Amino acid sequence: MSDETDFTVKLSTVAFDARFPNQNQTKHCWQNYVDYHKCITARGEDFPPCKQFYRAFRSLCPDDWIDRWDQQREAEINPSDMSP
């Protein structure tokens, strides 16, 4: 008997977004972060389109940025309007 288990993991990157055609993806990262928080405020975390925004910003944004933005949101000093 073999103790090996076959785990298949599908890895993918964020699809092309015509709003952000350049190589620098900073704005793309930020917009997906903002869109995610607007979406979960309006529809809840289980709404499938919200999950797409989540996967996009988690793929594009450095963890340090996300941590800082989360802290700013919690302290209500984030510069973006995240209301739906």
Side-chain angles (χ1 to χ4, degrees):
M1 285 183 126
S2 174
D3 290 336
E4 293 181 28
T5 305
D6 182 26
F7 289 104
T8 304
V9 177
K10 181 180 180 239
L11 299 176
S12 63
T13 60
V14 178
F16 176 75
D17 188 335
R19 297 176 298 169
F20 308 101
N22 299 324
Q23 290 179 346
N24 186 342
Q25 294 294 302
T26 303
K27 290 181 183 177
H28 192 185
C29 151
W30 173 251
Q31 191 61 54
N32 278 289
Y33 178 84
V34 171
D35 289 345
Y36 170 72
H37 288 286
K38 285 183 176 187
C39 185
I40 63 170
T41 300
R43 301 289 185 143
E45 291 184 23
D46 294 331
F47 191 59
C50 295
K51 292 178 182 180
Q52 178 59 35
F53 292 130
Y54 178 82
R55 286 190 297 272
F57 87 77
R58 292 300 299 179
S59 173
L60 291 168
C61 303
D63 290 338
D64 291 343
W65 292 5
I66 296 169
D67 293 341
R68 185 172 6 133
W69 295 337
D70 286 343
Q71 290 171 1
Q72 290 174 347
R73 245 183 347 93
E74 290 168 6
E76 298 181 359
I77 58 171
N78 193 292
S80 287
D81 178 18
M82 302 223 184
S83 58

